[in-house]
Amino acid sequence: MKIRSKTLGTIIAFVIFGGILGASTLGLWKTESVRNPNSIQRNKSIGEAARENAVTGDYYPADIRGNHRFGEISEIFNIPLEILSHAFALPPDVDPANFKNQDFDSIYPSFEGEQEIGNGSVKWFVALYTGLPFELEDEEEDTYLLRPAVEILKKHASLTAEQIAYLDAYTIEIEFEIPDSYPSEDEFQSSDEGAGDGEETKLKQDEMIVAGKTTFADLLDWGVSAEKIETIIGGGIPNRLILVYDYCAENGLPFGQIKTELQIEVDTLGP
Amino acid sequence: MKLFPRNKIWLRTVLQIFFFILIALIAVNHVLEDSGVKIPLLSNASLHAVCPFGGVVSLYQFAAVGTFTQKIQQSSFILMILVFILAFLFGSVFCGWVCPLGSIQEWVGKLGKRLFKKRYNHFIPWRIDQYLRYLRYIMLIWVLYATAMTGKLAFGDIDPYYALFNFWTGEASFTGLAVLGVTLLASLAVERPWCKYACPYGAILGITNLFSVFSIRRRESTCKSCDICFHDCPMNIPVHAVKVVRDHQCIGCLECTSEAICPIENTVVFATKGSR
């Protein structure tokens, strides 16, 4: 059987575009790993949501619920706890790791008019800080953030002009005392400054943070020995490409504790 | 004046231009996404999501732990399967008819043909060249091994295809841009230098030429052994010396066939075994 160029060209186009069309019809054609936030049931914990999304490595601000703690949010979205604590002006006597989103009323004085800080504010902050997709829903319109949160976002996040305008319009100017333990202005600026070795070192350190997307291969590449990793996780490394988070979830290990111990090992390696 | 020269496989040129523009527009759309603008009816996927080689480099990780390599999406897997279907049937026609990086090398090569005339694409002595053609298998092995070990796109930083469509965005690495620059420059002297010596995807698709259902076949009884098919072959394959082209470098462009450069009708054809 012979085939001429016109037939071959037609078959090539048909196989490629027909295949894509067929895959789309079957729901298999996925060019990005964005997932419908509504598919997560409202009563699921963020840990469960994160485990579901660990396959794709994506976690979404829309999954954050009122009963989630800052510690969980920090861990899942890789936002330093100090940043969350500073952004929402937690008092010094409140343990940020265990603070729940639904408890803002107990720590803030009454704000003017319709101004309010709640779970929507946390979702909004996390979305802007991480750059993850999130749309304010109807009931979350007029979402306010405190001045420190707005300042952090302006310095650390890639905001559009529209987002900056929104933030400026919905900023609550706090008058109550900000605890001393919050990150200083200099610390914030240090990540934005200059180029060259300093910036490279900072980037390198930033990259070497144990988080939800960290694989065993990452740890080994950073220089942590296989023996140390195995001591910390209490078993052999199953496969270099598995997420540490997944391994912990599958083996009933506390990811937070494992992550901290691994981070200590990473930090001892230096820049 | 005719749009295409006589004896040209014009549909191949049309498809090459089409796929080149399509991928370029998808790359533009992906960048525009950040500013909230979008070209209607066109995907704004990342280039990694519309590259079938992404599926190949993810195979090990997908089999081992059920996840994709970083930045690779399910669409890459779908495209990989579709291109393999084409390759099992027709050999590495993806390289000759679809791949935008191959196309741009070919287009730059047209300028090289004007510059160097008959010397174009014949600079490297065959006794050396025939071994250099296997370098792309070393590249393939390295890419697959490094990606499997790290779970990251080991090829990403040197990928000239990514650099080609992202040179204006600042996302392409310096190495990638340098490899692209060298490739285009070399295209002035050698036809498809990246495809011949370095492309890991071409390497894996080239293997299918050894057993694909259709292949280039030469009828000895009518062949005048004028060698024109050999001289016109972009990959320097000695079509005139074999009955069936089972060369791992063939890109299935059909430029050697009786439909194109071969002057004798029904002598060099793209056919299955036993066809008359």
Side-chain angles (χ1 to χ4, degrees):
Chain A
M1 182 180 162
K2 279 180 287 192
I3 195 169
R4 293 181 69 82
S5 62
K6 285 177 191 170
T7 313
L8 178 61
T10 307
I11 292 173
I12 289 170
F14 179 79
V15 168
I16 292 177
F17 291 110
I20 291 171
L21 187 67
S24 300
T25 308
L26 296 170
L28 299 172
W29 181 256
K30 292 174 184 168
T31 57
E32 53 187 14
S33 48
V34 172
R35 177 192 50 79
N36 179 5
N38 296 328
S39 66
I40 294 292
Q41 294 166 17
R42 288 205 167 267
N43 59 356
K44 275 189 178 172
S45 75
I46 196 167
E48 286 172 317
R51 271 192 288 281
E52 285 189 6
N53 297 330
V55 173
T56 57
D58 292 321
Y59 314 116
Y60 291 87
D63 298 327
I64 297 172
R65 302 287 174 253
N67 62 346
H68 293 143
R69 301 167 197 274
F70 270 21
E72 289 177 290
I73 296 168
S74 166
E75 190 174 288
I76 298 302
F77 293 95
N78 197 22
I79 302 174
L81 201 52
E82 306 80 60
I83 295 282
L84 285 173
S85 182
H86 182 66
F88 291 92
L90 298 192
D93 58 338
V94 171
D95 175 12
N98 287 312
F99 179 78
K100 289 182 179 177
N101 292 343
Q102 61 198 17
D103 295 333
F104 282 119
D105 288 347
S106 65
I107 60 165
Y108 293 152
S110 296
F111 296 119
E112 290 178 11
E114 293 180 359
Q115 292 182 345
E116 185 187 2
I117 295 293
N119 190 42
S121 305
V122 179
K123 289 181 187 178
W124 185 224
F125 177 83
V126 169
L128 293 176
Y129 188 90
T130 57
L132 288 168
F134 174 68
E135 283 186 9
L136 289 172
E137 297 165 7
D138 290 343
E139 67 271 22
E140 289 163 342
E141 281 182 358
D142 303 331
T143 300
Y144 286 85
L145 289 176
L146 298 177
R147 171 58 64 192
V150 173
E151 294 306 318
I152 287 170
L153 291 172
K154 284 183 177 178
K155 283 176 179 157
H156 288 272
S158 300
L159 303 174
T160 63
E162 192 182 350
Q163 287 169 335
I164 292 171
Y166 184 95
L167 287 172
D168 287 337
Y170 292 94
T171 301
I172 298 177
E173 302 293 345
I174 54 172
E175 293 175 2
F176 46 88
E177 193 179 344
I178 299 175
D180 294 331
S181 60
Y182 296 150
S184 68
E185 203 65 14
D186 289 344
E187 282 177 87
F188 284 136
Q189 284 175 354
S190 65
S191 64
D192 300 321
E193 280 174 357
D197 293 344
E199 188 177 36
E200 282 176 21
T201 304
K202 178 78 173 68
L203 282 170
K204 182 79 178 165
Q205 288 169 340
D206 283 349
E207 286 167 6
M208 291 169 59
I209 290 174
V210 183
K213 290 183 178 179
T214 306
T215 61
F216 288 109
D218 289 329
L219 294 169
L220 293 165
D221 287 347
W222 296 342
V224 183
S225 69
E227 293 75 24
K228 285 200 171 146
I229 296 171
E230 288 175 349
T231 305
I232 291 170
I233 64 174
I237 297 172
N239 185 305
R240 291 167 54 96
L241 302 176
I242 286 182
L243 297 172
V244 178
Y245 189 97
D246 277 357
Y247 178 85
C248 291
E250 284 170 16
N251 293 280
L253 299 171
F255 177 66
Q257 184 188 327
I258 299 285
K259 183 188 109 167
T260 305
E261 291 179 31
L262 289 170
Q263 190 64 57
I264 290 169
E265 288 300 328
V266 171
D267 292 342
T268 58
L269 300 169
Chain B
M1 181 183 158
K2 282 195 170 184
L3 189 58
F4 296 100
R6 198 169 64 87
N7 294 339
K8 183 77 186 166
I9 306 293
W10 63 268
L11 184 56
R12 187 174 83 90
T13 310
V14 169
L15 280 184
Q16 283 180 301
I17 294 170
F18 172 77
F19 280 109
F20 190 92
I21 293 173
L22 179 68
I23 297 297
L25 289 178
I26 288 173
V28 169
N29 223 14
H30 185 65
V31 175
L32 286 178
E33 183 188 20
D34 290 339
S35 56
V37 187
K38 188 177 183 293
I39 302 170
L41 304 174
L42 189 70
S43 169
N44 59 352
S46 76
L47 277 183
H48 298 297
V50 291
C51 177
F53 188 52
V56 177
V57 298
S58 266
L59 275 174
Y60 171 77
Q61 182 166 338
F62 191 74
V65 296
T67 58
F68 299 128
T69 301
Q70 254 182 26
K71 299 181 182 176
I72 298 303
Q73 308 296 340
Q74 194 162 303
S75 52
S76 300
F77 253 58
I78 304 289
L79 286 174
M80 175 194 71
I81 293 166
L82 296 175
V83 174
F84 273 139
I85 290 171
L86 285 173
F88 285 125
L89 285 172
F90 307 114
S92 46
V93 287
F94 174 84
C95 308
W97 291 69
V98 179
C99 179
L101 184 63
S103 300
I104 196 167
Q105 290 174 80
E106 219 173 285
W107 298 333
V108 173
K110 291 188 188 305
L111 183 61
K113 266 182 195 166
R114 293 190 174 200
L115 284 174
F116 297 111
K117 311 283 186 208
K118 286 187 175 178
R119 289 183 66 204
Y120 171 74
N121 204 24
H122 292 93
F123 281 97
I124 306 173
W126 178 246
R127 65 178 186 281
I128 300 170
D129 202 29
Q130 63 181 321
Y131 297 112
L132 292 179
R133 305 292 181 103
Y134 290 97
L135 286 176
R136 60 183 191 165
Y137 288 96
I138 295 172
M139 175 76 101
L140 173 67
I141 291 165
W142 170 74
V143 170
L144 293 181
Y145 177 78
T147 309
M149 286 299 104
T150 61
K152 295 181 173 64
L153 281 180
F155 186 52
D157 281 347
I158 59 168
D159 185 0
Y161 162 77
Y162 190 79
L164 174 63
F165 292 107
N166 272 290
F167 69 90
W168 56 282
T169 64
E171 280 188 34
S173 70
F174 175 77
T175 318
L177 289 168
V179 171
L180 176 66
V182 170
T183 299
L184 294 182
L185 203 61
S187 298
L188 288 170
V190 179
E191 188 140 10
R192 290 178 172 253
W194 175 261
C195 311
K196 278 177 182 162
Y197 307 115
C199 182
Y201 194 38
I204 203 161
L205 291 178
I207 294 171
T208 64
N209 289 339
L210 307 181
F211 55 80
S212 60
V213 178
F214 285 84
S215 54
I216 300 288
R217 292 170 192 274
R218 185 178 65 94
R219 183 179 288 177
E220 286 180 299
S221 57
T222 52
C223 178
K224 293 200 300 183
S225 297
C226 62
D227 299 357
I228 194 169
C229 49
F230 168 55
H231 288 291
D232 212 52
C233 175
M235 307 305 278
N236 312 96
I237 296 168
V239 182
H240 66 294
V242 293
K243 285 168 76 174
V244 184
V245 175
R246 288 293 186 193
D247 194 301
H248 70 102
Q249 290 258 316
C250 179
I251 56 170
C253 63
L254 308 194
E255 297 294 348
C256 59
T257 61
S258 298
E259 199 180 339
I261 199 72
C262 176
I264 314 295
E265 198 176 338
N266 210 21
T267 296
V268 180
V269 293
F270 194 54
T272 56
K273 188 179 179 184
S275 64
R276 293 179 181 273

